[in-house]
Amino acid sequence: ICVFIIHGIGEAIMERVMEYILAIAKFKSVSKAAENLFISQPALSAIVKKEEKRLGVELFDRQYKPLQLQMQELYMLMQLRR
Protein backbone atom coordinates (compact mmCIF):
# COMPACT_ATOMS: atom_id res chain seq x y z
CA ILE A 1 0.00 0.00 0.00
CA CYS A 2 2.80 2.44 0.84
CA VAL A 3 4.51 1.79 -2.51
CA PHE A 4 1.26 2.57 -4.32
CA ILE A 5 0.90 5.86 -2.44
CA ILE A 6 4.48 6.86 -3.19
CA HIS A 7 4.03 5.84 -6.84
CA GLY A 8 0.90 7.99 -7.05
CA ILE A 9 2.73 10.97 -5.64
CA GLY A 10 5.52 10.47 -8.18
CA GLU A 11 3.03 10.47 -11.04
CA ALA A 12 1.41 13.65 -9.74
CA ILE A 13 4.80 15.36 -9.52
CA MET A 14 5.71 14.25 -13.06
CA GLU A 15 2.43 15.65 -14.38
CA ARG A 16 3.17 18.96 -12.66
CA VAL A 17 6.69 19.07 -14.11
CA MET A 18 5.24 18.36 -17.58
CA GLU A 19 2.76 21.19 -17.05
CA TYR A 20 5.63 23.52 -16.16
CA ILE A 21 7.70 22.52 -19.20
CA LEU A 22 4.77 22.89 -21.56
CA ALA A 23 3.94 26.31 -20.07
CA ILE A 24 7.49 27.50 -20.77
CA ALA A 25 7.16 26.19 -24.33
CA LYS A 26 3.80 27.94 -24.72
CA PHE A 27 4.94 31.32 -23.38
CA LYS A 28 8.52 30.97 -24.71
CA SER A 29 9.70 32.51 -21.47
CA VAL A 30 10.42 31.14 -18.01
CA SER A 31 9.34 34.42 -16.42
CA LYS A 32 6.00 34.55 -18.24
CA ALA A 33 5.33 30.86 -17.57
CA ALA A 34 6.16 31.32 -13.88
CA GLU A 35 3.80 34.25 -13.64
CA ASN A 36 1.02 32.25 -15.28
CA LEU A 37 1.67 29.23 -13.04
CA PHE A 38 1.83 31.35 -9.86
CA ILE A 39 5.35 30.16 -9.04
CA SER A 40 8.56 32.16 -8.74
CA GLN A 41 10.85 32.30 -11.75
CA PRO A 42 13.88 30.97 -9.81
CA ALA A 43 11.83 28.01 -8.52
CA LEU A 44 10.56 27.19 -12.01
CA SER A 45 14.07 27.43 -13.47
CA ALA A 46 15.40 25.11 -10.77
CA ILE A 47 12.64 22.56 -11.41
CA VAL A 48 13.37 22.53 -15.15
CA LYS A 49 17.14 22.27 -14.61
CA LYS A 50 16.59 19.34 -12.22
CA GLU A 51 14.37 17.58 -14.76
CA GLU A 52 16.90 18.19 -17.54
CA LYS A 53 19.61 16.68 -15.35
CA ARG A 54 17.39 13.68 -14.56
CA LEU A 55 16.63 13.10 -18.24
CA GLY A 56 20.18 13.88 -19.38
CA VAL A 57 19.07 16.40 -22.02
CA GLU A 58 18.56 20.12 -22.44
CA LEU A 59 14.88 20.64 -23.10
CA PHE A 60 15.17 24.24 -24.24
CA ASP A 61 17.53 25.91 -26.65
CA ARG A 62 18.72 28.77 -24.48
CA GLN A 63 20.88 30.37 -27.17
CA TYR A 64 17.84 32.04 -28.68
CA LYS A 65 15.14 34.30 -27.34
CA PRO A 66 12.31 33.51 -27.15
CA LEU A 67 13.00 30.08 -25.66
CA GLN A 68 12.12 27.12 -27.80
CA LEU A 69 11.57 23.52 -26.81
CA GLN A 70 13.97 21.38 -28.82
CA MET A 71 12.06 19.10 -31.19
CA GLN A 72 13.65 15.77 -30.32
CA GLU A 73 13.19 16.52 -26.64
CA LEU A 74 9.55 17.43 -27.29
CA TYR A 75 9.07 14.03 -28.91
CA MET A 76 10.72 12.34 -25.92
CA LEU A 77 8.45 14.23 -23.51
CA MET A 78 5.35 13.16 -25.43
CA GLN A 79 6.52 9.54 -25.25
CA LEU A 80 7.03 9.83 -21.49
CA ARG A 81 3.51 11.19 -21.08
CA ARG A 82 1.95 8.01 -22.50
Side-chain angles (χ1 to χ4, degrees), residues 20 24 29-35 38-50 62:
Y20 291 167
I24 295 169
S29 163
V30 176
S31 297
K32 289 178 185 175
E35 184 178 324
F38 304 103
I39 184 172
S40 73
Q41 181 273 324
L44 182 56
S45 292
I47 290 166
V48 172
K49 283 286 191 184
K50 185 176 179 180
R62 291 174 175 82

Side-chain angles (χ1 to χ4, degrees), residues 1-17:
I1 295 173
C2 291
V3 173
F4 176 75
I5 292 170
I6 291 170
H7 182 68
I9 291 171
E11 286 180 14
I13 291 170
M14 281 304 302
E15 280 296 314
R16 180 62 58 152
V17 170

Side-chain angles (χ1 to χ4, degrees), residues 22 25 59 69-79:
L22 294 174
L59 297 171
L69 192 58
Q70 298 193 62
M71 293 317 262
Q72 67 187 49
E73 281 69 21
L74 175 60
Y75 176 76
M76 182 182 71
L77 284 172
M78 292 301 128
Q79 295 302 313

